[in-house]
Amino acid sequence: MLAATGAAVGLGNFWKFPHMVGEAGGAFVVVYLVFMVVMALPLLMAELVLGRATQQNPVCAIQALTKRETTSSNPAWNYFGWVIVITGILILSYYSVVAGWILAYALRTAVGIFQEIDTVEEIRSTFTIFVSDPEKLLAWHTIFVFMTIGISGRDFRRGLENTVRLVVPIMFALLLILVFHSATVHEFRQNLNSLFHIDFARLTLPHVMHAMQQAFFSLSLGVGVMMAYGAYLNKTVSIFQLSVSIIVLDTVVALLAVCLLYPVVLSTELEFSSGVTLVFQTVPMAFGAMPGGAYWGTLFFIVLVLAAWTSAIALLEPSVAWLTARHGWRRAKAAMVAGLIVWALGLINILSLNYWAFSFEFFDAHMVNGWLDIMDIITSTVMLPLIALLVAVFSGWVVSREYVKKQLGSSIVNYTLWLVLIRFAVPCLIVVVFVYLLLR
Ligand code: TRP
């Protein structure tokens, strides 16, 4: 549960969710929760089922099931596992670059750099200068990739399990401390009351679509991570209960992130932006402006580092598990090989921000982050919904019902409701989001 929570809680909880709540208020939270239940929950259960039933990595799990337990053994499913593993690697190749920036900003906040910055122009140029220095970015990226390999390369129980057992509770504790601190800042209660006020008039169609997309990404679905973790899951654990716990913990972190960030940003004149601007400009500046800000800001970046670290370890797991099974390698070797591929792909991302930046000029003006943005769009807008759709079809229609029933138990909530959602609601919703996002 902690490993899956560590995978789910990531940068998305801190830089996307709070921004959306800022825009559409409590109504966004309500819609988000609905999608969590009708779409994300059945998909999470499906991934865990596929992993636990086969006790194998995503590639072998799907191949084994296609051979043994399906109604139609179409050989095309054999390639499906590959797509999943490759998508994880692609995501990690930019996730680790951004995580490197976070390491750098943790250090910068700790030494008090942001205390001396008073204008938005200054903070913006600090960031621009930072990303135009490839050597610096490479150094931080390398450190982060090796932090990930260091854990993934060890034996599963001693490496990953012990790490999440330590890191996830520490992350929660630090987050709570930060929220308590925020509660002392600037009319906390009034601000949050008006922030979370439920008014459906503020909700637009794009907000609903983003709620759906965010529900799904926040749980790290569609890259086989939950499938890979499911393989290590004890047979006696109820998949339904486990999935509900993961969803609750992930949502709690997202809500705490709002309670933490909103008062801090509101205490300044700054606007509540999202993404890169929020984390690398607005937040450092807001903390820089408050008493003891260096201390609180550092704590905030440490929380982000921990969140990104457990997500990165998760992203590497499907490939490590696959390489160990396929080639009989030890985990250390598998993690090193997969990690070096990620490192090399990350290098392309880094160079696209500076030396090779000119080649991105013909892209839209939104593409300020070079190849990173392109990778993000390819993976999160195209690959992940597609994989999730295939997971839904595969687990709902292709794998034999009896087989799934053995994993989920036969009660109405655990099985019947799940089957209805995964067969009809989930595919329809994904197609709707997919078409909407492509036409946008
Ligand atoms: N859930 C992560 C977040 O909220 C992002 C993410 C998407 C992810 N897919 C993933 C993390 C797969 C780990 C593995 O930021």
Side-chain angles (χ1 to χ4, degrees), residues 46-65:
E47 283 206 20
L48 290 171
V49 164
L50 295 180
R52 183 168 78 174
T54 54
Q55 313 239 314
Q56 297 196 52
N57 65 79
V59 179
C60 300
I62 289 167
Q63 286 174 355
L65 283 174

Side-chain angles (χ1 to χ4, degrees), residues 207-350:
H207 289 138
V208 177
M209 294 294 173
H210 283 129
M212 204 189 285
Q213 201 193 9
Q214 175 69 6
F216 164 79
F217 292 113
S218 194
L219 285 178
S220 304
L221 299 168
V223 265
V225 166
M226 297 302 176
M227 229 187 273
Y229 281 178
Y232 299 100
L233 192 60
N234 198 314
K235 289 274 184 228
T236 54
V237 174
S238 152
I239 286 189
F240 173 71
Q241 283 171 10
L242 173 68
S243 306
V244 171
S245 320
I246 296 168
I247 288 186
V248 169
L249 288 172
D250 183 61
T251 308
V252 165
V253 173
L255 292 172
L256 286 178
V258 179
C259 302
L260 150 65
L261 289 176
Y262 212 69
V264 172
V265 175
L266 276 199
S267 68
T268 63
E269 301 287 283
L270 298 166
E271 216 176 293
F272 205 77
S273 48
S274 78
V276 172
T277 321
L278 178 70
V279 173
F280 298 103
Q281 296 177 26
T282 315
V283 169
M285 199 166 161
F287 274 118
M290 65 171 48
Y295 175 70
W296 295 110
T298 311
L299 219 53
F300 171 72
F301 277 104
I302 290 176
V303 169
L304 281 191
V305 168
L306 298 180
W309 192 28
T310 48
S311 291
I313 296 167
L315 278 166
L316 206 58
E317 182 56 28
S319 9
V320 172
W322 178 74
L323 286 172
T324 47
R326 173 75 170 69
H327 297 293
W329 292 351
R330 294 208 328 265
R331 279 185 70 92
K333 184 171 174 190
M336 189 56 93
V337 170
L340 287 179
I341 294 173
V342 167
W343 181 86
L345 290 172
L347 193 57
I348 302 177
N349 289 330
I350 288 174

